[in-house]
Amino acid sequence: MSSGETGASKIKLYSVATAFTLSIGFSFYGIKMCVPYADTLTILAYRYAVACIGVVIWRIAAGAMGVLPERKPGRPKKMLYMTAAFYLLFMIFQILAMFFATSIEGALVYAMVPIFASVIGRIALGEKATGLQTFFVVMTVCALLILIILNATDIHLNVTGLLIMTVSSLFMACQNVSARYVRGVFSPTEISETIAVGGTVIFVGASLVRTAAKGSIGWLLEPLHHPDFVIWVSFLGIFCILLSAQFMAYMLAHMELVQSTIFNSASTLVSIVAGVLLLGEPLEWYHYLCGILILAGVIGLSTAPAKAENEGKSLGDDISVK
C-alpha cells in the first residue's frame, strides 16, 4: 500500500477488501441455490443480465443526480477492454474446465492465482514482493491448498481439466495485473461496467443462440418462476459480478498487487465457512488450523512493510511519457 494513505482511506480500503471477500465467498452458496433451477450457462446469462441492468440503473440515477463521472477523452480504451476481456476469458475457461475437472481440482489451481499474479506483476509492472510478503503469500496458499485437499471427499486428477483450469487462473492473474496497470486512468466503476456489459453480450448471446437452436424459449424463462432463483441470481449478478469487480479494481488501484490478490484466498475460506453454517457441512479440526493460518497470512501480508518506491508501472506513466 502506498505510504501516503491516510487512516480514513485505510479504513475504507480494508472495508472494500472485506466486502469483496464476503461477496465472492458467499457466491458459492448462491450458485448452490441456483443450480436446482438452471444449468451453468443459464445461470451465467442471468447473472450478467442482472449486472448489466444494475449498470443501467446506476447510470440513470447518477445522471439524474448530476454525479455521473466525466469520461476523459484520449484514453486508450483498448486497455480497458483488455482488462475486462481477461476477466471474461477467466470465466469462460473456468466453465470449460468444469466439463473435465471437478470443482475441487478447480479450487486447487485457482488457489495459485496470488502466486501467478505476483510473478506476472513482477515481469509486467516491476512490482517486487519483499521476503516477508512472499512468506505470507506462500503460507496462505499452502494453508488453502491443504484445506481444500482435506475438505475433499474424492480427488481424481484430469490432465485436460487441470490444464484448462490453469489457463483460466492465468487469465485471472492477468486481469489483476491489467487492472493494476490501468489504475488512475480508468476508474473501478468503468472496469466493472465494461465487464458487466461484455459478459452480457457473451453469455446472454450464447444462451439466446442455444435457445434458438432448441426452438423454444420456455425452458430459458422457467427459472424465473422460482423466487429463490430470482433472489440468488440477483445477488450473484449485483454483488458477485458488478460490485466485486469494482471492489477488486479499487483494491488494485490502492494496494500492491500481491496484497490485493491474497483476498481471493480469504474468500475461499469464507465459502467453506458458509458451507458449514448454511449447508450443515461438518466442521473439522483442520478447518480451524488452516483458517487461522489463512487469516494470519492475509493480515500479515496486509500489514507487512513494503518498499516505499514499489508502486509499479502504470498506464498513466506511459501516457505522460508520450
Side-chain angles (χ1 to χ4, degrees):
M1 186 188 304
S2 172
S3 58
E5 296 282 355
T6 65
S9 62
K10 285 184 179 180
I11 292 175
K12 179 181 178 181
L13 181 56
Y14 286 115
S15 296
V16 168
T18 301
F20 168 83
T21 302
L22 292 174
S23 297
I24 298 299
F26 277 95
S27 65
F28 171 77
Y29 180 75
I31 292 171
K32 280 254 187 180
M33 298 300 291
C34 291
V35 164
Y37 309 109
D39 61 16
T40 301
L41 179 58
T42 303
I43 293 172
L44 273 172
Y46 277 113
R47 285 176 67 178
Y48 274 96
V50 169
C52 195
I53 292 171
V55 168
V56 173
I57 293 175
W58 178 86
R59 291 189 65 80
I60 292 174
M65 293 185 293
V67 295
L68 198 63
E70 180 184 356
R71 302 300 172 107
K72 299 177 182 179
R75 297 175 300 171
K77 290 290 186 69
K78 64 180 181 180
M79 293 306 305
L80 174 63
Y81 301 145
M82 183 182 297
T83 302
F86 280 138
Y87 186 87
L88 296 174
L89 285 169
F90 150 71
M91 296 206 74
I92 291 171
F93 276 84
Q94 185 182 56
I95 295 168
L96 181 61
M98 289 300 102
F99 286 100
F100 302 94
T102 64
S103 58
I104 297 299
E105 292 173 304
L108 288 173
V109 179
Y110 184 65
M112 301 298 291
V113 167
I115 293 179
F116 293 155
S118 181
V119 173
I120 297 172
R122 179 163 187 163
I123 296 171
L125 305 181
E127 291 196 11
K128 301 176 182 179
T130 64
L132 187 59
Q133 287 178 323
T134 301
F135 168 77
F136 283 124
V137 169
V138 172
M139 182 180 78
T140 303
V141 171
C142 287
L144 182 57
L145 291 174
I146 293 171
L147 178 59
I148 293 171
I149 292 172
L150 292 179
N151 205 55
T153 55
D154 193 17
I155 298 179
H156 295 289
L157 298 180
N158 181 290
V159 175
T160 302
L162 287 176
L163 287 175
I164 297 174
M165 195 63 208
T166 299
V167 173
S168 173
S169 297
L170 285 172
F171 275 129
M172 184 75 254
C174 288
Q175 194 277 337
N176 292 163
V177 173
S178 184
R180 173 73 172 159
Y181 175 63
V182 301
R183 68 189 188 278
V185 176
F186 296 103
S187 69
T189 300
E190 289 176 297
I191 294 173
S192 62
E193 286 179 353
T194 307
I195 289 173
V197 174
T200 300
V201 171
I202 293 173
F203 295 115
V204 173
S207 188
L208 291 176
V209 168
R210 188 175 64 170
T211 299
K214 287 179 176 286
S216 173
I217 198 173
W219 68 275
L220 182 61
L221 299 178
E222 198 278 334
L224 297 179
H225 297 154
H226 304 278
D228 283 352
F229 177 83
V230 175
I231 291 171
W232 284 104
V233 86
S234 297
F235 168 78
L236 291 171
I238 297 298
F239 286 92
C240 304
I241 291 180
L242 187 59
L243 291 181
S244 68
Q246 185 163 345
F247 292 155
M248 190 62 185
Y250 182 85
M251 291 156 57
L252 286 163
H254 296 85
M255 283 182 177
E256 288 184 69
L257 184 65
V258 69
Q259 292 176 318
S260 300
T261 54
I262 205 65
F263 283 95
N264 281 305
S265 300
S267 67
T268 303
L269 176 62
V270 171
S271 295
I272 294 174
V273 172
V276 171
L277 297 178
L278 301 176
L279 300 177
E281 296 175 356
L283 189 63
E284 305 292 346
W285 63 268
Y286 54 82
H287 288 117
Y288 293 104
L289 177 60
C290 293
I292 291 172
L293 290 175
I294 291 171
L295 288 176
V298 172
I299 295 172
L301 184 59
S302 300
T303 57
K307 299 176 181 178
E309 71 277 9
N310 192 17
E311 291 295 323
K313 185 180 179 182
S314 73
L315 179 60
D317 297 333
D318 290 345
I319 292 177
S320 65
V321 170
K322 295 177 182 180

